[in-house]
Amino acid sequence: MLALAAGIAAGAATPPARLLVHNATLITMEPSEPEPFVGYMVVGADGRISALGRGEPPAGTAAAATVDAREQVVMPGFLSGHSHLTSSVMRGINAGRELDGMIDFRPTFLDGRFYEEGDVGTFTLHGALDYLRNGITTAFNYPNRRCPPQYYNEAFRAEIASGQRFVYGYNVPDMPYEKARTDFLAFKAMTDTYRDHPSFLRLALAKNGHLGRVAGHSQFPTEVRIAKEFGLPLQVHFLESSFYQKQNRHDFQYIKDSGGLDVPLVFAHFVHADDRIIEESVKAGAVAIWNPLSNGRLASGLADIPKYLKAGLTVGMGLDGQNTADISNPFENMRMGLYNIRMKYERASVLGPRDVLHLHTLGTAQALGVADRVGSLKVGKYADFLIVDLTEPDVGPVYDLHGSLVFACSFSNIAQVYVGGETVVERGRLLKHDSVALGNDVRFRMTRNREKTTRLLSATTKP
Amino acid sequence: MLLSPSSLVRAAGALLFLADILPAAEPARLLVSNALVLTLADNGPAPFTGWLLVAADGKIAALGAGNPPATAVATETLDAGGKIVLPGFVSGHSHLAASARRGRLPDKELDGLIDNPVPFFRADFHQPGDLHAFALHGSLDYLRHGITTCFEYPIRIRHLSEDIYKEMFQAEISSGIRLVYGYNVPDLPPAEARQAFIDFKTFTEKTAAGNPRFLKLALAKTGHLGRWGKDFFPTEVAIAKEFGLDLQLHFLESNQFQMENRADFKMMEEVGALKIGLIYGHFIHHSEEILQKSVAAGARMIWNPLSNGRLASGLADIPKYLKAGMSVGMGLDGQSTADLSDPLENMRMGLYSLRMKYNDASILLPYDMLRLHTLGTARAIGVADRVGSLEVGKFADFLLVDSTHPDTGPIYDPYATLVFACNNANVDTVFVGGEPVVKRGRPLKFDAVAVARDVKARVAAMKSRSTRVGAAASKP
């Protein structure tokens, strides 16, 4: 039943399969396959899964490369539904502040307005590659408009260069509707040239500024209008910080009045939702992205995920920017979320390992509207997967595979990361990029920006 | 001590240790230079780029900012290349043999785990060498994750022979980890229990005579108060009192038993437990009265965030405890409940949980967490004179952390980079007593692959023994 041998016996005209993985313990994350099984997977020349099944592959199955994944787990790559990849170069800042302090006290040299050519691209690439080596093969990148406008497109190009699959959230500039629409069209035309690029999953909008904070309200109707006209999801930071939660709950009325619920809304964080907001969001088909590491670091609070799920809300997970979730480890992100929910309820059965695995893979793909192509291992989807080695570092005998995977594994257990059936990371090492050179480039640029802003500041404070 | 700093000078805001290094009988073991040093000592200096000298006895002979003086000479030298050097982590509550039981019963709380032990881990299915292998696996797992000292709380399986019980101590002391060993007093009448303790004490003295890895003996309560083992608690208290030992016990851990555990406090008072050195493992569901009386009695607590989360035990109110003056340490617990032994993640789990609870990011800072998982824990388990911070005279147990591999970007605040952005993958080298024991996650003195295979083979053999017995028993 599982051995859908599409493409295998299709004859000589079909280009040879790219990869055959066999003897693997497969966790497909398909809801119809709740139990792991030992089997094989074939990746076609187009980077998609062409066959997958239990046991040995059918006789005659051939591929350009073969991987014996004996005693190793093969699972879908993780997704992050909410990410600010340029933040990868700003980790550890403002260690004792909440979100609002983070926004208000950003060191001057990290202010994008002072960025020079190549900064946005380099920093984004650093962040995207950090994701890949942590096993996150798809991200919704929510860039930041706070940089000289001529450099804004660098983030998109860096995403293409990284090899990671992505949904790109365009920030509508803070302009009157007609001008903003023109700007959007120019950006869309640029991205359209990548329409057939397999890394670029889709375009979306990412709200410019924060509702309740900067550039929040004035811009929102324009963003809703563009999202509606072009049929795009709109992602918004909403109900994140504890400090602004009351204000943000009032904003919900404003979101409704602006027609926000008529477009596919993606709420990032959604920590402090009350019953009415949950109910109306579910009815409108809005979705939420849960970012446990970031919500913890910033003391934002704990989203009541079991309650949301019970109410029928689609929930995905995200790593947020690396300046608020300074480590991009999805295994830890799952534990942070799961264990905190368990501590809140003081009941372990309230959420289990399989549940958080779903949230960080297929659940996020569903929330981002890309589950037709990523999020689970299924014939026809992209072959984005991880080989997880439970023996190095060794986690001992396995009694419950989902338990061992979610409770005991970490970054170090990721043996390989595959995107489209190609290895991009081997034991934490990037195969298609020079991570040492990139790290040095980042440090050089940061030092330069720091010196430059120090000069600028001392010049302006002279009598 | 032949090597000692003659003076400690702070000038113009810059840190400087002037080490007057005398010629030593034995040459120093190791000189580390060009390191970003976080001493984590009380009133310690801000992070500085400097050096550290380890004497032949494995203790820190001197350390300071800048380049090492010409007199600082050692057999081995290491240019840290700007990497971070900090004390090895300390786990104040650990069950190392549980390393062979991870991932089990993912939807159960503590009580579910106690009530559903692995059926083939019964005493009669253990053969010589099994517990040795499991405890070694757990100890090496700790070392690989940068934990250089732990309070080992073995679990005495009922009806297990004393010879097999002793294997855990033998394995742990041979692993290279530094150890406070919590002996489980057997469930016997007082005089026999006392004799068993004396026999074990003699055994440890013989086995670990002169071994600097053995820090001290303590007691670890057999059973769980509120579950089983209440009846022989007075015996344990009496032995602890007679021999001047700390007594660690699981207390106020599981949610289900918290009310009963609170009532147990009265019994603890009555049997004089508050007059000995008490260490609470967990201490989550306290009451005001228990907190105040415990602080007054000098009782200490070990916080185990990963375990408390996995088991849904709850969140200990650490800021409140600290404010009340309680001595707080941190632990990884057994790998069957904190299935991953990464202290960097354990700190984040604790820190972020508290921040979410308080909606206040300033409630605890990265520096506070580092201190809790090192010197704070060393203090709570009574070994801060020897480990927990990088200070002259203490053991040179330290980690070399490379924040560029995997790269975490520029460092703006070393404490935050460590606590927010690093995990075990950034731990480049683990040193115990100035000797490298783990490099890039790989134990240097053991074949980790062989140990892992041995554990799996032994678990499979135990299972098959149990199946045979089960088949024999169910025969008509």
Side-chain angles (χ1 to χ4, degrees):
Chain A
M1 176 193 74
L2 282 159
L4 300 170
I8 288 182
T14 319
R18 181 175 286 177
L19 179 72
L20 164 67
V21 183
H22 66 128
N23 289 328
T25 301
L26 285 156
I27 296 184
T28 66
M29 292 317 294
E30 278 295 302
S32 60
E33 292 160 1
E35 294 303 325
F37 59 90
V38 175
Y40 68 93
M41 182 167 76
V42 183
V43 183
D46 58 357
R48 292 175 188 255
I49 299 168
S50 58
L52 184 152
R54 287 167 202 264
E56 289 298 317
T61 305
T66 301
V67 171
D68 184 345
R70 198 173 297 270
E71 291 180 24
Q72 291 181 316
V73 172
V74 168
M75 63 168 287
F78 288 100
L79 282 88
S80 170
H82 178 69
S83 306
H84 308 288
L85 295 170
T86 51
S87 311
S88 185
V89 301
M90 304 172 199
R91 297 180 215 207
I93 60 167
N94 288 332
R97 295 195 190 274
E98 296 89 39
L99 172 72
D100 304 289
M102 189 64 99
I103 295 173
D104 295 337
F105 294 93
R106 173 166 296 189
T108 314
F109 69 96
L110 294 176
D111 189 325
R113 287 176 304 173
F114 299 106
Y115 283 2
E116 296 192 5
E117 186 175 3
D119 284 358
V120 172
T122 306
F123 301 163
T124 304
L125 184 61
H126 192 271
L129 296 179
D130 180 53
Y131 267 37
L132 272 181
R133 67 207 302 192
N134 276 283
I136 305 160
T137 51
T138 295
F140 182 114
N141 188 22
Y142 192 127
N144 185 338
R145 218 171 232 292
R146 215 169 153 84
C147 68
Q150 67 270 31
Y151 304 144
Y152 180 75
N153 290 0
E154 286 182 12
F156 184 89
R157 294 202 189 94
E159 278 281 36
I160 290 284
S162 73
Q164 177 180 58
R165 243 178 266 286
F166 64 100
V167 177
Y168 200 85
Y170 171 77
N171 309 114
V172 177
D174 192 3
M175 294 171 174
Y177 168 71
E178 286 302 334
K179 282 184 80 176
R181 186 175 177 278
T182 306
D183 204 86
F184 166 74
L185 283 174
F187 187 83
K188 186 173 175 297
M190 186 276 287
T191 64
D192 279 346
T193 63
Y194 293 94
R195 196 181 324 184
D196 298 326
H197 196 290
S199 294
F200 178 39
L201 292 176
R202 70 186 293 184
L203 190 61
L205 296 188
K207 164 132 200 52
N208 199 357
H210 274 249
L211 273 185
R213 297 284 323 237
V214 272
H217 289 188
S218 61
Q219 193 61 3
F220 191 63
T222 298
E223 290 165 320
V224 169
R225 227 171 130 180
I226 293 174
K228 196 179 248 171
E229 181 182 349
F230 295 93
L232 305 175
L234 169 58
Q235 183 161 148
V236 189
H237 290 89
F238 189 53
L239 294 165
E240 178 177 7
S241 87
S242 167
F243 189 59
Y244 273 82
Q245 56 174 292
K246 257 201 189 131
Q247 165 78 39
N248 250 196
R249 279 197 285 262
H250 288 302
D251 291 335
F252 191 72
Q253 188 60 43
Y254 175 78
I255 290 174
K256 278 166 60 180
D257 295 346
S258 316
L261 292 186
D262 302 335
V263 300
L265 269 190
V266 183
F267 292 131
H269 304 296
F270 206 62
V271 178
H272 308 281
D274 60 25
D275 289 345
R276 189 179 59 90
I277 293 176
I278 298 169
E279 194 191 320
E280 293 190 34
S281 299
V282 170
K283 210 155 70 186
V287 302
I289 305 296
W290 183 29
N291 305 280
L293 277 165
S294 167
N295 298 159
R297 203 269 220 197
L298 294 180
S300 302
L302 178 63
D304 194 343
I305 300 301
K307 184 174 172 182
Y308 297 173
L309 292 174
K310 211 171 155 193
L313 190 71
T314 296
V315 176
M317 291 184 76
L319 270 302
D320 206 347
Q322 283 101 332
N323 64 335
T324 61
D326 311 61
I327 189 159
S328 310
N329 180 354
F331 287 104
E332 179 169 342
N333 202 41
M334 289 190 293
R335 282 189 286 271
M336 184 61 66
L338 176 64
Y339 292 0
N340 269 284
I341 292 290
R342 288 182 168 199
M343 285 191 265
K344 173 189 168 77
Y345 281 84
E346 296 191 352
R347 188 153 51 82
S349 60
V350 70
L351 207 63
R354 173 82 185 186
D355 301 325
V356 282
L357 269 175
H358 167 81
L359 291 179
H360 227 321
T361 54
L362 189 58
T364 307
Q366 286 162 347
L368 299 181
V370 292
D372 55 327
R373 282 164 292 168
V374 295
S376 63
L377 301 180
K378 187 184 180 188
V379 170
K381 288 199 188 188
Y382 285 121
D384 300 350
F385 63 94
L386 317 179
I387 297 188
V388 182
D389 182 356
L390 275 67
T391 69
E392 188 52 45
D394 187 50
V395 304
V398 172
Y399 304 87
D400 178 309
L401 187 58
H402 290 121
S404 288
L405 191 63
V406 174
F407 294 159
C409 286
S410 192
F411 171 87
S412 302
N413 296 98
I414 302 175
Q416 285 96 20
V417 180
Y418 286 81
V419 176
E422 282 187 88
T423 327
V424 294
V425 174
E426 172 91 35
R427 288 268 164 219
R429 204 166 47 84
L430 297 165
L431 298 184
K432 309 197 177 222
H433 295 267
D434 181 344
S435 65
V436 175
L438 179 64
N440 290 339
D441 191 15
V442 163
R443 277 175 268 271
F444 166 79
R445 288 171 182 278
M446 266 311 169
T447 308
R448 183 200 60 202
N449 291 355
R450 191 194 278 254
E451 285 167 359
K452 185 173 77 180
T453 52
T454 309
R455 276 201 309 277
L456 287 173
L457 280 176
S458 67
T460 53
T461 53
K462 268 182 193 151
Chain B
M1 277 300 299
L2 292 163
L3 308 178
S4 66
S6 65
S7 59
L8 193 156
V9 178
R10 280 166 202 249
L15 174 97
L16 190 68
F17 290 110
L18 286 180
D20 174 14
I21 299 157
L22 301 168
E26 270 188 89
R29 179 176 289 179
L30 174 71
L31 172 65
V32 183
S33 61
N34 194 19
L36 178 55
V37 181
L38 316 181
T39 70
L40 301 180
D42 288 339
N43 307 309
F48 60 89
T49 299
W51 55 278
L52 179 142
L53 185 70
V54 183
D57 61 359
K59 292 181 177 172
I60 298 171
L63 77 170
N67 292 320
T71 45
V73 182
T75 319
E76 298 275 340
T77 58
L78 173 72
D79 182 341
K83 293 186 187 76
I84 296 170
V85 163
L86 80 156
F89 288 99
V90 184
S91 171
H93 180 74
S94 305
H95 312 292
L96 293 170
S99 191
R101 291 185 273 119
R102 297 184 216 202
R104 283 189 73 242
L105 306 175
D107 296 328
K108 300 240 185 258
E109 296 88 34
L110 171 72
D111 303 289
L113 252 65
I114 294 176
D115 295 336
N116 298 280
V118 193
F120 50 89
F121 269 61
R122 264 171 29 193
D124 48 340
F125 301 134
H126 279 80
Q127 285 203 342
D130 289 345
L131 271 178
H132 191 283
F134 304 158
L136 180 62
H137 190 268
S139 308
L140 294 178
D141 183 54
Y142 265 39
L143 283 173
R144 305 174 86 160
H145 287 88
I147 305 160
T148 52
T149 293
C150 73
F151 185 113
E152 162 66 344
Y153 192 129
I155 305 283
R156 181 182 283 281
I157 301 165
R158 276 172 170 172
H159 313 300
L160 192 73
S161 84
E162 197 69 7
D163 279 346
I164 292 187
Y165 176 77
K166 283 175 184 165
E167 286 180 7
M168 289 188 277
F169 179 82
Q170 286 161 324
E172 286 150 11
I173 208 74
S174 74
S175 73
I177 201 165
R178 235 179 269 285
L179 214 55
V180 175
Y181 200 84
Y183 175 72
N184 309 115
V185 175
D187 185 6
L188 297 170
E192 288 170 58
R194 182 178 177 277
Q195 189 53 48
F197 166 75
I198 290 172
D199 292 347
F200 188 84
K201 185 168 178 291
T202 310
F203 156 75
T204 62
E205 282 159 2
K206 218 177 330 179
T207 310
N211 188 338
R213 302 288 160 92
F214 181 38
L215 292 175
K216 67 194 277 192
L217 193 61
L219 295 189
K221 162 130 201 59
T222 303
H224 272 250
L225 275 187
R227 295 298 314 253
W228 66 282
K230 213 180 283 196
D231 48 339
F232 55 91
F233 189 59
T235 304
E236 292 167 314
V237 171
I239 294 173
K241 194 180 242 169
E242 179 182 351
F243 295 92
L245 304 175
D246 285 339
L247 169 60
Q248 182 161 157
L249 70 159
H250 291 89
F251 188 51
L252 293 165
E253 176 178 8
S254 86
N255 175 46
Q256 197 188 334
F257 276 80
Q258 59 171 298
M259 295 318 288
E260 175 154 6
N261 249 195
R262 282 187 205 163
D264 291 332
F265 190 74
K266 198 168 276 309
M267 181 276 285
M268 287 161 61
E269 278 184 290
E270 283 164 12
V271 302
L274 292 186
K275 297 196 178 86
I276 60 169
L278 268 193
I279 303 171
Y280 301 138
H282 305 293
F283 198 66
I284 300 168
H285 307 280
H286 70 286
S287 68
E288 287 306 321
E289 187 200 351
I290 294 175
L291 176 63
Q292 295 311 329
K293 286 186 172 171
S294 298
V295 170
R300 299 144 266 167
M301 70 81 70
I302 305 296
W303 179 30
N304 305 283
L306 278 167
S307 168
N308 298 160
R310 202 268 219 197
L311 295 181
S313 304
L315 178 62
D317 194 346
I318 301 301
K320 182 177 174 189
Y321 299 170
L322 291 173
K323 212 170 154 190
M326 185 165 236
S327 167
V328 175
M330 292 184 73
L332 269 303
D333 207 346
Q335 285 98 333
S336 59
T337 62
D339 312 62
L340 174 75
S341 310
D342 188 344
L344 290 153
E345 181 167 332
N346 200 40
M347 289 190 294
R348 280 189 288 276
M349 184 60 66
L351 176 63
Y352 292 0
S353 303
L354 285 172
R355 285 183 170 200
M356 285 192 255
K357 173 190 167 79
Y358 278 88
N359 285 142
D360 177 358
S362 67
I363 193 82
L364 273 177
L365 295 174
Y367 175 73
D368 304 324
M369 296 306 299
L370 281 168
R371 291 257 300 170
L372 285 178
H373 223 323
T374 54
L375 189 58
T377 308
R379 202 161 267 149
I381 61 175
V383 291
D385 56 327
R386 284 168 287 169
V387 298
S389 58
L390 300 180
E391 293 179 78
V392 170
K394 286 200 185 185
F395 284 121
D397 300 351
F398 61 93
L399 316 179
L400 194 64
V401 173
D402 185 353
S403 68
T404 70
H405 185 70
D407 190 33
T408 65
I411 296 180
Y412 307 103
D413 169 349
Y415 297 126
T417 292
L418 260 176
V419 176
F420 290 163
C422 289
N423 69 8
N424 69 299
N426 296 100
V427 178
D428 182 278
T429 318
V430 180
F431 291 86
V432 176
E435 278 188 278
V437 294
V438 172
K439 176 82 185 164
R440 282 259 143 244
R442 206 166 47 84
L444 297 175
K445 311 202 176 218
F446 289 87
D447 180 346
V449 174
V451 172
R453 278 203 199 111
D454 187 29
V455 165
K456 275 165 218 165
R458 287 174 179 280
V459 169
M462 285 168 73
K463 191 173 188 175
S464 117
R465 284 195 288 276
S466 78
T467 313
R468 280 202 302 276
V469 169
S474 60
K475 264 182 197 153

